[in-house]
Amino acid sequence: RRVLFRDVIEVWGDGASHEQCVEHLTRDEATRRALAYYFDDAECTWRLDVEQYGASLSLAEANAVRKAYAAATPFRGSVSLTAPRETFEVCAYARCKRRAPGQPIPAPYRVFFGRLVGTAAPKR
């Protein structure tokens, strides 16, 4: 038997939608304390990846998701897309298998936000 994984994420927020996940990040006191370590460090470079399993997102769609999390993630450090000290992920699981170009983004049935702890393969 084998277990295959792509990423290991320390989950800090979850919900049935992006809005509920953002609400969890802003209201849960334990989550706010955990995130404060990264928020207050001006030297901490970071990146926010957006993954939608079950559907591909365009760059504009992924940026719209990132903007939805902007208020809940007020990092003082600078963004580094190539070599960040910390990588955070928004993972959404959709109900459809494929999405044709031009079709709307399927509503996720579960959304998670967290810090990337480990990865099995480099990002493509």
Side-chain angles (χ1 to χ4, degrees):
R1 295 184 184 241
R2 294 187 175 121
V3 175
L4 300 176
F5 66 93
R6 192 173 113 184
D7 295 333
V8 176
I9 299 169
E10 179 182 15
V11 176
W12 289 346
D14 67 321
S17 66
H18 289 292
E19 294 80 15
Q20 286 183 2
C21 189
V22 168
E23 184 178 330
H24 183 249
L25 289 172
T26 56
R27 291 197 178 183
D28 186 58
E29 191 58 38
T31 300
R32 298 303 300 166
R33 281 194 304 270
L35 286 169
Y37 173 79
Y38 301 100
F39 292 162
D40 296 337
D41 187 359
E43 301 297 318
C44 180
T45 58
W46 60 279
R47 176 176 76 200
L48 179 59
D49 291 340
V50 177
E51 301 281 342
Q52 174 101 7
Y53 299 101
S56 296
L57 297 178
S58 69
L59 182 59
E61 292 165 337
N63 284 336
V65 172
R66 284 182 184 96
K67 286 181 183 177
Y69 286 82
T73 56
F75 298 111
R76 289 183 54 209
S78 61
V79 173
S80 174
L81 299 178
T82 56
R85 189 173 95 189
E86 298 294 340
T87 300
F88 299 92
E89 285 200 12
V90 175
C91 300
Y93 294 90
R95 288 192 158 91
C96 69
K97 297 277 185 198
R98 294 185 185 264
R99 179 172 74 113
Q103 287 185 333
I105 302 170
Y109 66 87
R110 201 71 189 155
V111 179
F112 299 95
F113 176 91
R115 184 176 68 92
L116 182 68
V117 177
T119 185
K123 298 282 182 190
R124 289 172 247 150

